[in-house]
Amino acid sequence: MKLLQASLFVWVIGLSGCASQTSQPVLYDRLGGDAGVTAIVDNLLQKMSRDEAIARHFRDTDISLFRQGLIDKLCVVSDGPCEYTGDTMRNSHKGFNISGAEFDALVQHLIHAMQEENTPMAARNALLGRLAPMYSDVVYQ
Amino acid sequence: MKVSLKVNAVWLLGLFLLCSSEWAVADGSRVTATGGATSIEGSAGGGVVPWAVINGYGSSDEWSATAVATGVFVDDYTLKVIGASVSYDNRIELSYARQRLKLDTIGGYLEQDIYGVKYKVAGELLYTRMPQISVGVQYKTVDDFFLPEAVGARDDSGIDYYVAASKVFFDAFMGRNVLVNGTLRVTKANQGGLLGFGSADNNNYELMNEVAVALLLTDNLVLGMDYREKPDELDFAGEDDWQDFFIGWFANKNFSVVLAYADLGSIAGLDNQKGWYLSFEAAL
């Protein structure tokens, strides 16, 4: 049992090192660059508009501004050559009281959007890993 | 063949869940596969280890229900489990499982009921740096104390307490997500309770380590392993740690199947119990 625990521990530590692979292309390119990210965002926006629980938050939002902001944000998050000039995650979600369920629903929509746009699995998971920590800046405030 | 009311109720719930996937009932909001499977004790987790995850797909303020049917087919025994659970707010899980161990070689049955409660106290499986941490209780009670008493058990019922921590690491191994779980359990149960609780010499709680690791091969397919330490308190029925290697297919948010190979070690004097595990789960 001790051997098992030790090897498990080593494996978990090793895994966290594997997350940053400097030898492969940047995540932005693996997502398809500008065309890929734009396609994912447009697909995601369609799904969000059809999900009433999420869509109701956007009634006073300029969707084309939001769309560009989301494209720029994903570009920056995936180490792409962009500049994000929008508000912080915390400020831009303040006052909406977004629930855990709405956040979960958005994550599922994003996963489906990326699958439909044929984003490779490793790139999908890498992007999710970079977006997941935004949870505490987005929900319940 | 007499079938108890409890078993009927669980089958009915299972049927209801399977049918309602065709009705216009909203699925829970959580991401596919994040409810885990259901262990043989009825708690969400792997095959033999309860994890910190809450059963079903319900997220904040949402309800979920699940039903499970499991068969474990080892050399000299067949274990069948029927269970059901209800969860709310991705925070609290109430579960029931009925275990029926057929002693193929020795003859007869060992059966027990397990009532479980699990409560998430911290963290979110996917989103927080802190692992998701849950505490749980399992109240277990055996039907017929004759064989457990004969091999030296002290009581026909007992309570297990556990704390579990689970975390998903994104893009952690070959571009795939990995789930890691550690569980600490205190128990007096012999063979998980099927051979009663405690022994003539020992009425103390024993601390057991349990771990699980799972690789999400795709968004719907999970490969993993459970390992569960066991106490070894009965003189006349040596007990080994349990281990299983599983593959789980999460078809959608209503249905999943787990196939596993299990090594249950020595049970009631018959060594080397190994074999196949198959489990079907319906969720609403």
Side-chain angles (χ1 to χ4, degrees):
Chain A
M1 186 56 198
K2 283 206 173 68
L3 178 63
L4 176 74
Q5 279 175 319
S7 30
L8 199 63
F9 181 74
V10 168
W11 192 34
V12 170
I13 298 305
L15 284 182
S16 39
C18 284
S20 47
Q21 308 228 353
T22 50
S23 57
Q24 58 174 331
V26 292
L27 179 57
Y28 182 65
D29 293 331
R30 292 160 56 207
L31 292 169
D34 181 51
V37 170
T38 301
I40 291 168
V41 168
D42 285 335
N43 191 319
L44 176 62
L45 285 175
Q46 270 198 354
K47 290 176 165 45
M48 287 166 70
S49 69
R50 282 191 243 117
D51 185 337
E52 184 49 38
I54 294 175
R56 67 191 173 94
H57 290 300
F58 289 89
R59 287 200 226 292
D60 298 325
T61 305
D62 180 331
I63 297 296
S64 66
L65 269 181
F66 174 76
R67 175 181 176 273
Q68 193 55 53
L70 189 51
I71 291 170
D72 292 340
K73 185 67 178 173
L74 291 185
C75 176
V76 167
V77 155
S78 61
D79 301 326
C82 306
E83 213 185 300
Y84 174 70
T85 55
D87 222 337
T88 62
M89 285 298 102
R90 183 165 281 274
N91 285 344
S92 58
H93 293 93
K94 205 183 283 274
F96 287 97
N97 199 30
I98 291 165
S99 69
E102 288 165 0
F103 193 92
D104 276 328
L106 184 68
V107 172
Q108 186 73 87
H109 289 318
L110 175 60
I111 291 171
H112 286 150
M114 290 191 290
Q115 287 171 333
E116 287 168 17
E117 299 305 325
N118 300 310
T119 309
M121 180 187 300
R124 299 201 306 258
N125 290 333
L127 183 62
L128 290 172
R130 295 185 186 200
L131 296 175
M134 292 178 186
Y135 175 80
S136 44
D137 282 335
V138 168
V139 295
Y140 296 119
Q141 42 129 16
Chain B
M1 184 181 80
K2 197 172 84 170
V3 182
S4 77
L5 186 64
K6 274 182 271 206
V7 172
N8 272 332
V10 174
W11 276 117
L12 276 172
L13 177 61
L15 203 61
F16 167 76
L17 289 175
L18 282 170
C19 292
S20 35
S21 56
E22 315 211 329
W23 303 341
V25 184
D27 287 338
S29 299
R30 271 192 281 149
V31 172
T32 304
T34 56
T38 297
S39 76
I40 55 169
E41 292 166 327
S43 310
V48 297
V49 176
W51 300 354
V53 303
I54 301 296
N55 225 340
Y57 289 101
S59 184
S60 59
D61 304 307
E62 294 174 348
W63 288 90
S64 279
T66 65
V68 67
T70 300
V72 188
F73 310 92
V74 293
D75 299 73
D76 299 292
Y77 302 94
T78 303
L79 176 68
K80 294 201 177 148
V81 185
I82 297 214
S85 79
V86 168
S87 71
Y88 176 68
D89 198 30
N90 191 17
R91 183 166 297 279
I92 183 157
E93 171 193 294
L94 300 175
S95 64
Y96 168 73
R98 171 81 181 159
Q99 290 182 344
R100 185 170 158 98
L101 181 73
K102 181 161 168 281
L103 312 173
D104 300 323
T105 302
I106 299 171
Y109 292 90
L110 292 171
E111 299 179 80
Q112 70 169 337
D113 293 309
I114 303 177
Y115 301 88
V117 182
K118 183 191 298 182
Y119 188 78
K120 179 179 72 177
V121 295
E124 288 296 329
L125 182 72
L126 301 178
Y127 308 130
T128 56
R129 224 189 189 86
M130 178 187 297
Q132 176 160 325
I133 299 173
S134 297
V135 293
V137 177
Q138 291 173 341
Y139 172 67
K140 304 175 173 180
T141 160
V142 296
D143 272 17
D144 185 345
F145 195 49
F146 178 76
L147 181 57
E149 192 168 33
V151 294
R154 179 190 280 259
D155 290 310
D156 64 357
S157 69
I159 303 178
D160 285 4
Y161 301 91
Y162 65 88
V163 56
S166 309
K167 178 100 192 82
V168 165
F169 298 93
F170 289 95
D171 186 25
F173 185 74
M174 292 179 65
R176 287 157 168 90
N177 305 330
V178 171
L179 180 147
V180 178
N181 177 86
T183 298
L184 283 175
R185 178 198 305 252
V186 288
T187 181
K188 297 183 187 183
N190 307 309
Q191 294 295 5
L194 287 162
L195 285 180
F197 303 82
S199 69
D201 312 316
N202 188 359
N203 195 29
N204 296 326
Y205 271 104
E206 303 296 318
L207 179 66
M208 299 289 125
N209 289 303
E210 305 174 7
V211 294
V213 184
L215 177 72
L216 281 79
L217 275 177
T218 72
D219 293 310
N220 299 86
L221 206 59
V222 180
L223 208 60
M225 186 214 81
D226 264 354
Y227 189 96
R228 174 172 165 173
E229 281 184 339
K230 307 275 284 337
D232 185 13
E233 296 301 324
L234 294 176
D235 291 335
F236 301 111
E239 191 168 338
D240 294 318
D241 297 346
W242 282 351
Q243 185 166 25
D244 70 79
F245 297 91
F246 60 83
I247 181 157
W249 176 49
F250 295 82
N252 49 44
K253 288 188 184 181
N254 300 119
F255 187 67
S256 59
V257 186
V258 176
L259 176 67
Y261 189 71
D263 180 354
L264 305 183
S266 180
I267 302 178
L270 296 173
D271 294 343
N272 233 353
Q273 298 301 312
K274 293 183 171 147
W276 293 98
Y277 165 117
L278 183 63
S279 183
F280 299 93
E281 181 174 329
L284 189 64

